[in-house]
Amino acid sequence: MLRPPCRRLARPLRRAACTGPGRRLLLSTPIFYANGPPHIGHLYSALLADALHRHRGLRGAGPGRLSTGTDEHGLKIQQAAAAAGTSPPELCERVSDLFRRALAQAGVSFTDFTRTSQPRHQRAVQRFWGALLDGGALYKGSYEGWYCTSEECFLPESQLAERRDAQGRPCKVSLESGHQVHWTKEENYMFRLSAFRDPLWNWLQENPHAISPDPFYQRVLRWLEEDLPDLSVSRESSRLQWGIPVPGDPTQTIYVWVDALVNYLSVVGYPTAHGEWWPAAHHVVGKDILKFHAIYWPALLMAVGLRPPERILVHSHWTVRGQKMSKSLGNVVDPFSCMEQYTVDGFRYFLLRQGVPERDCDYYHEKVLKVVNSELADALGGLLNRSTALSINPSNTYPCFSESCFPKVSDSRETKGMGRASAEDYELLASVASLPLQVVGYFEGFQIYKALECITLCVRQTNSFFQRHRPWKLDRKDPAEQLWLDTIIHVTLECLRVFGTLLQPVIPHTADKLLSRLAVEPQERALSSLTFLPRYSGKPCPFEGRQLGPDTGILFHRLEKSREHQRETKKL
């Protein structure tokens, strides 16, 4: 033993970083394990964090950072490199570059890309280890149990199942992943996790939104009601050479998860400059790594006197035609080919529109085509195309709004005999006017898919408005008809301006194209200054009479079935 057991290990927590408007915030993805190329599950994590980061920037909420990167140590990488006939550094260099390129190609606006092989990070991990040791949170002892190399952790019997291996022999596997486990006995450093049950429980009771969505919060509370044994936080160097050595003990290598979790501190300058950012951090993670982020990580932070992160935002997995993605099934979806086939914005939209954090979501080609073609190409793109067509708007301007055609009313049921607008038209105005606040609420609640659902409903309402009044049938030679025609187009363009502004965090390229067509300048695209249809309230509209931007063609081209998919369909 390094020191006698301590009755009280939770150290006084240091004061939080500044809160309120204009405060700093670190948004993070997990750092992705560099034993293989990226798949759509990795991309989904990154896109969720990216959309939150972009949305926060458009709101002018204060300085923000988006961190991501690669986790490059551990037994899995050591074994993967050996199987590939290369060294761990060479494998990590290649795979890390793949992740960086995939995220950049997908438009992920990361500000920091951490590699755990970087000296800066390794120094931070060693300092963090020293702080754990100084606080009495570590001791050395013999440990044995079922170890899962794929998950890089020991698993209790309750998380195992009996199966048969490829040779038909009985074996034990992880219930969560299905990967085989092996009985392992070794001398390790242990973290006194059992001492942190009450501090963790109190933290969650005082911060009911610390883990979202709520089903995952409830899952963590249930875990805390179970046995919480001390945690092995090192491996024998004879078994694991590829990692960060324990300071002062060359016989031990720091456990890969401790190493990886410290990236959230090393990226903000731990151990010297992190106070400017920490604990103002929101971690976006998959449900398979919830325990590491919601129990182990907060306990480790408490042990060194730091507060847990403000929020842990958890999402579920993607399946492929109802099956879990796996190399053995050959159904792992390559994000590079998806972005090429569906376009970057098309695939971004699909994942964020269809991904529901609380439950696993299913990917298949036909679904992507249906969602993207229906909502981006037809509904949104068709509306822009029709409302800016020279046959409808030959002056190519943002036309004037007529208050006599669309008078302001306190109740949409009192529209009879007033102007040209119907009760349905007033319902459209109410829906679009309330949309920005709805979207903000859903983004803050980590329900981006619901924000997109609301936008889609409003796009459909606007299409119905345009179709209902058939502006192409109106006689421009009649002054009264011209006033109504201009008002129809004005209202439609105002709706499109709101949609384009709100969609910037999700489909940045397409939103930019839409707003540029409406001649909305870059400085006019912030969410903080978004005002819908000011002329309806008797206020001036800065866009009225403005020449529209250049026509760059179809907003979003319809996607077609790929040749490979057509061949697969014929086989079926």
Side-chain angles (χ1 to χ4, degrees), residues 129 138 189-191 231-235 253-255 258 300:
W129 182 275
L138 303 179
Y189 285 89
M190 306 294 293
F191 171 63
L231 180 69
S232 171
V233 289
S234 72
R235 302 297 311 277
T253 302
I254 295 174
Y255 176 46
V258 176
L300 288 163

Side-chain angles (χ1 to χ4, degrees), residues 217-261:
Y217 174 79
Q218 298 299 332
R219 184 182 298 183
V220 176
L221 289 179
R222 288 194 297 273
W223 282 337
L224 290 175
E225 291 171 353
E226 299 170 1
D227 192 28
L228 200 66
D230 288 352
L231 180 69
S232 171
V233 289
S234 72
R235 302 297 311 277
E236 291 178 349
S237 300
S238 58
R239 295 177 185 264
L240 175 62
Q241 299 85 41
W242 181 240
I244 301 174
V246 167
D249 188 346
T251 69
Q252 297 281 313
T253 302
I254 295 174
Y255 176 46
V256 65
W257 269 102
V258 176
D259 171 359
L261 288 166

Side-chain angles (χ1 to χ4, degrees), residues 117-172:
S117 58
Q118 292 168 330
R120 176 196 70 178
H121 172 76
Q122 295 189 21
R123 287 193 295 271
V125 171
Q126 290 175 324
R127 286 291 294 272
F128 190 83
W129 182 275
L132 289 171
L133 198 60
D134 291 344
L138 303 179
Y139 64 93
K140 204 170 186 180
S142 180
Y143 190 85
E144 58 183 309
W146 294 104
Y147 190 78
C148 179
T149 303
S150 294
E151 297 177 30
E152 296 275 15
C153 65
F154 286 94
L155 295 172
E157 287 280 353
S158 60
Q159 293 178 26
L160 302 177
E162 296 282 351
R163 296 284 188 273
R164 291 193 176 273
D165 64 16
Q167 285 74 43
R169 296 171 299 197
C171 67
K172 288 184 181 289

Side-chain angles (χ1 to χ4, degrees), residues 401-409 414-423 425-426 469 480-481 483-484 487-488 536:
F401 176 86
S402 169
E403 294 171 10
S404 62
C405 291
F406 214 135
K408 187 172 184 179
V409 296
E414 301 171 0
T415 60
K416 205 166 184 181
M418 297 177 65
R420 302 282 295 265
S422 66
D425 301 337
Y426 284 97
H469 294 298
E481 295 281 274
L483 275 178
W484 180 226
T487 301
I488 294 168
Y536 178 70

Side-chain angles (χ1 to χ4, degrees), residues 321 337 340-342 365 560-572:
R321 296 190 181 276
S337 62
E340 181 180 355
Q341 185 172 2
Y342 306 126
H365 179 73
E560 303 296 337
K561 283 188 179 181
S562 66
R563 290 180 182 177
E564 288 101 357
H565 182 262
Q566 288 172 343
R567 284 196 293 270
E568 287 171 11
T569 306
K570 285 178 182 177
K571 288 177 186 176
L572 295 171

